[in-house]
Amino acid sequence: GAKWTYSGPYGEQSWSRSFPFCGGAFQSPIDFQTPILRYDPALSPIEVKNYNLPPSEQLTMSNNGHSVKLSLPSSMHISSMPYRYSASQLHLHWGSSSLLEGSEHTINGKQFPAELHIVHFNSDKYSNISVALDKSDGLAVLGILIEVGNFNPAFDRFLKYLNGVKFKDQKVQIAAFNIRELLPDGLHEYYRYDGSLTTPPCYPSVLWTVFKNPVTVSRQQFLSLATSLYSSSSQESAPEPLNRNFRKTQLADNRVILVSFQQ
Ligand SMILES: NS(=O)(=O)c1c(F)c(F)c(S(=O)(=O)CCO)c(N[C@H]2CCCc3ccccc32)c1F
Ligand SMILES: [Zn+2]
């Protein structure tokens, strides 16, 4: 597809030229501002199934030039939503060694150092994610905000392989692990809204669930994520660091953000 980046001439202000939905409605991410939040007691705790993958299983970790992503088996799924949403991949967004602000969603204007996304598709209605990608009930993404603090052994399960995917299109196989450990302890407090992919093609097809409570990684783990990767391929002459790969917050328009918790 058409080239797009997070800065320069192909940056987000230009995305809508090649990807019209990026200039459309229901775009993500957004800033969770108190005045547009509404408590919804019907929002039940998120329930995930088969997230505890056996270490005998292998996952493909890759650098696609936009993020580092981990392929996930479709046996992993969210069971607490009206439809079953099966896992497809997880990836991250982060700042840089000099910018500890790289999350996509923000809370009352506070941007976190990084954000983890676990992408799922509606496997009750669609046979695979490619078919589900542009359907209004096609995708569900879990967003986990990341703060710098204590060392996180779960994140190290894949961060320790970053040097194997330094350049675009590099892949490595890694031992699977319990993906549940990447999530915050409580899955009952979250923001919920209808939004979009935060990268081209920006389809408004995502039911977003962003947990209220961030997880922590150590400063060293954050710096490893923020400084190990390049968006350019190994053959290219000028290596382009892969960092600050987050989209700016979009207008909420008249969308209401539901929250499962009361202030
Ligand atoms: N923030 S976000 O909206 O969740 C989000 C990203 F930020 C992100 F970088 C990716 S990407 O790594 O695939 C690089 C961009 O194509 C995705 N992938 C999705 C949408 C694109 C096509 C596709 C095909 C199969 C599986 C997943 C996806 C993404 F959904
Ligand atoms: Zn994402």
Side-chain angles (χ1 to χ4, degrees), residues 6 67 89 91-93 104 115-117 119 141 198-199 208:
Y6 284 100
S67 184
Q89 54 108 292
H91 62 270
L92 295 102
H93 303 268
E104 296 212 300
E115 186 170 340
L116 166 68
H117 289 155
V119 183
V141 181
T198 68
T199 61
W208 278 98

Side-chain angles (χ1 to χ4, degrees), residues 171-228:
K171 298 174 190 292
V172 290
Q173 295 289 98
I174 74 168
F177 58 97
N178 186 358
I179 306 296
R180 172 67 184 81
E181 292 175 347
L182 297 176
L183 276 58
D185 293 340
L187 303 183
H188 56 296
E189 294 187 317
Y190 56 85
Y191 302 84
R192 163 67 51 75
Y193 76 100
D194 291 316
S196 74
L197 296 173
T198 68
T199 61
C202 304
Y203 294 135
S205 59
V206 181
L207 181 63
W208 278 98
T209 299
V210 179
F211 294 106
K212 174 189 177 201
N213 301 317
V215 299
T216 66
V217 298
S218 68
R219 181 171 297 276
Q220 184 195 26
Q221 286 179 303
F222 174 80
L223 287 174
S224 169
L225 175 64
T227 62
S228 297

Side-chain angles (χ1 to χ4, degrees), residues 61-78:
M61 179 168 165
S62 61
N63 173 344
N64 58 20
H66 305 293
S67 184
V68 56
K69 69 179 185 183
L70 212 48
S71 61
L72 298 171
S74 55
S75 54
M76 284 175 57
H77 63 277
I78 301 169

